[in-house]
Amino acid sequence: MNFSGIIVGLATFLIIGIFHPIVIKAEYHFGKGCWWAFAIAGVVFGVLSLFIDSMNWATITGVTAFSCFWSIHELIEQEKRVERGWFPANPKKKRK
């Protein structure tokens, strides 16, 4: 049996699940201005995936890279969700 698909699928599921609260916390504490941290992490994971010999680990790091890139979009969307009142705003952070 080949478990590669199950392993990569489970890892993708976990990565997406982990990034959801990371984006919420990042927007709450830093605002969408921290997008560059996700961009740098995405580039690092993307480049790293090019040099990993194991197909499973290369795929997982590639998924992590693009989850970082998608998180930039989600930071902007999260700011809109906070403005709509769907998520709490950080009272210490000045909003526009």
Side-chain angles (χ1 to χ4, degrees), residues 47-70:
V47 169
L48 186 63
S49 73
L50 296 173
F51 294 100
I52 295 175
D53 288 332
S54 167
M55 184 59 77
N56 284 349
W57 284 111
T59 303
I60 291 168
T61 55
V63 167
T64 304
F66 282 90
S67 293
C68 290
F69 294 138
W70 184 254

